[in-house]
Amino acid sequence: MNFDIQMILCLGIIIISIIATISRVLHSDDLGEAIEPILSGCSTIIAFFVIIGSYERLSLETSNILNKYFSGSIVNSGIVRILVLIAVFVIIKFLIEAVLKLINSLSLNNAIKKLNISKTFLVVFSSIFGAIRGMVVIVLLCISLLVYNSIVPNSRRINVLDNLAAYNKLERIIDESKIENISNGILESVSNNKVYYYNGVTIDKGIESNSEIDNMAMEITKRDDGDREKAKSIYNWVGSNIVYDDLKADKVMSQTTTKYESGAIPAFRDRKGICFDYACLYTAMAKAVGLKSRIIIGEAFNGTQYISHSWNQVYIREEGKWINADSTFYPAGNYFDSVNFNKEYKTKNVAGEF
């Protein structure tokens, strides 16, 4: 669709919105009929950006709550996550709209009431508000297309607004990777697809264990009483016995080859790996001694910059909470339930929970 047709489409939306607003206002003799749809649309836009900006934190807190009160099947259900996300969105939109209506009632409504409202006044102002309402509709349409285009393959993209200035500006404002994080976290759960990592290794494949790993986990935790002690023993063993594989990391970053193994078994066998391997081995050993753990995908500060990274969270039943553990960074300091995680880590997604 060329630029002229896009402009005609936008002008059509605005004109229809103006006509609908004038008709509604003249029918009720109340200019508030023109303002309320604008407030509703604006609250929807603001709520969308709130969800986008805080999704990582929201996803983590949702997982914590679901894990505390429900079983694993419910926790991992994409339908449940969709319902939670919708509920949060509705609540945020409701609160924002309530605030906007309160501001409107204390300011604009009082000003309008002081004016001598005639039919001409209603037509003029409802036309202005109708145009604004049309612009809000266009923004909502742009956001909807951006979300859709961020989820589907390029072959199924809808390019109807690609050359529109408003669409392109929104595309620059909205980080598409955040939309992808949301869709990955939900749609993969709904369709039961597995998340693929290095060399086509899934999370489930990566955490596969064997008798040697299980026996080692039970051996190093046999004197531990609680979950925290067991989790710390596994953290210490993985961190002090597995060496970081710089060559493999270089290959992963440069994507020069995909011919390498990843996961708990090769990491335990070769006593080396990258962050994903550390996290998989930690999870495999945790499972062997009855600990519930997660693999977290995000970024960590390496001293100079934030880099892509994987680490673990483990659930401490006696304390009723999840704690962080990063065996990869074991040689650099204390990365077991420490304040380092608040300062140096950025969670993007809970890639798996076991």
Side-chain angles (χ1 to χ4, degrees):
M1 183 177 290
N2 60 42
F3 179 75
D4 290 337
I5 297 177
Q6 290 175 347
M7 289 303 298
I8 292 172
L9 174 64
C10 292
L11 286 173
I13 291 173
I14 291 174
I15 291 170
I16 291 172
S17 181
I18 290 173
I19 294 172
T21 303
I22 291 174
S23 174
R24 187 172 179 177
V25 169
L26 291 179
H27 180 74
S28 63
D29 283 333
D30 182 5
L31 199 55
E33 294 287 342
I35 300 172
E36 287 194 7
I38 297 174
L39 299 181
S40 179
C42 288
S43 64
T44 300
I45 294 170
I46 296 170
F48 170 80
F49 280 101
V50 170
I51 292 290
I52 286 290
S54 61
Y55 178 74
E56 294 167 5
R57 180 66 180 174
L58 175 63
S59 177
L60 198 59
E61 291 299 327
T62 298
S63 294
N64 287 337
I65 294 171
L66 292 176
N67 271 289
K68 190 172 183 180
Y69 297 105
F70 300 100
S71 65
S73 60
I74 294 178
V75 171
N76 296 321
S77 170
I79 298 299
V80 173
R81 291 182 178 275
I82 288 174
L83 292 176
V84 170
L85 192 63
I86 291 173
V88 172
F89 176 83
V90 170
I91 291 170
I92 293 173
K93 176 184 170 2
F94 173 80
L95 293 175
I96 293 172
E97 188 170 352
V99 171
L100 292 177
K101 285 182 177 179
L102 177 62
I103 294 172
N104 173 57
S105 66
L106 296 175
S107 56
L108 189 58
N109 272 354
N110 288 335
I112 290 173
K113 288 176 182 177
K114 294 177 182 178
L115 298 174
N116 182 22
I117 297 179
S118 63
K119 291 291 184 182
T120 303
F121 176 90
L122 289 175
V123 170
V124 171
F125 274 83
S126 59
S127 298
I128 295 172
F129 288 127
I132 295 172
R133 180 183 178 185
M135 294 175 189
V136 170
V137 171
I138 292 171
V139 173
L140 290 172
L141 178 61
C142 289
I143 289 175
S144 300
L145 278 178
L146 276 170
V147 173
Y148 175 81
N149 288 337
S150 298
I151 295 173
V152 301
N154 287 335
S155 60
R156 294 174 58 189
R157 283 175 56 92
I158 297 176
N159 302 318
V160 65
L161 297 178
D162 274 3
N163 295 322
L164 190 68
Y167 181 87
N168 294 332
K169 189 168 184 178
L170 275 171
E171 195 171 30
R172 289 191 294 269
I173 294 173
I174 297 172
D175 183 355
E176 287 195 10
S177 65
K178 291 182 179 179
I179 299 177
E180 289 171 3
N181 283 341
I182 294 175
S183 62
N184 288 341
I186 295 174
L187 297 181
E188 284 165 359
S189 300
V190 173
S191 61
N192 291 321
N193 291 331
K194 294 183 175 67
V195 183
Y196 283 84
Y197 289 92
Y198 317 111
N199 198 26
V201 177
T202 65
I203 288 287
D204 288 345
K205 182 69 175 177
I207 66 165
E208 278 186 1
S209 190
N210 57 29
S211 59
E212 292 178 276
I213 295 174
D214 294 346
N215 290 337
M216 179 61 74
M218 289 184 282
E219 174 64 25
I220 64 177
T221 60
K222 65 182 181 182
R223 294 184 179 85
D224 297 329
D225 295 325
D227 286 354
R228 178 174 283 274
E229 291 182 16
K230 292 178 181 179
K232 184 65 178 291
S233 293
I234 295 173
Y235 161 81
N236 289 337
W237 190 93
V238 174
S240 59
N241 285 275
I242 307 301
V243 177
Y244 193 79
D245 192 340
D246 291 304
L247 179 60
K248 181 177 178 180
D250 290 340
K251 290 179 180 179
V252 171
M253 294 299 294
S254 62
Q255 296 182 338
T256 55
T257 180
T258 58
K259 296 180 179 179
Y260 45 75
E261 295 181 279
S262 288
I265 292 176
F268 184 83
R269 180 193 65 215
D270 302 331
R271 293 296 195 268
K272 64 180 181 180
I274 57 177
C275 58
F276 178 77
D277 305 313
Y278 279 79
C280 287
L281 180 55
Y282 187 96
T283 291
M285 299 184 83
K287 285 183 66 179
V289 297
L291 293 176
K292 186 159 60 173
S293 69
R294 296 169 174 165
I295 293 180
I296 307 297
I297 303 298
E299 294 180 342
F301 192 70
N302 67 356
T304 56
Q305 62 181 338
Y306 280 95
I307 58 172
S308 297
H309 193 53
S310 303
W311 66 95
N312 295 97
Q313 287 184 344
V314 60
Y315 189 71
I316 309 301
R317 282 172 294 188
E318 57 263 30
E319 300 174 25
K321 67 178 183 179
W322 291 89
I323 63 170
N324 291 290
D326 185 1
S327 300
T328 307
F329 281 8
Y330 176 88
N334 176 25
Y335 287 87
F336 181 85
D337 193 26
S338 73
V339 294
N340 292 321
F341 287 92
N342 296 327
K343 298 183 294 184
E344 301 174 11
Y345 287 73
K346 296 179 180 180
T347 297
K348 286 190 174 180
N349 197 16
V350 180
E353 186 173 305
F354 311 93

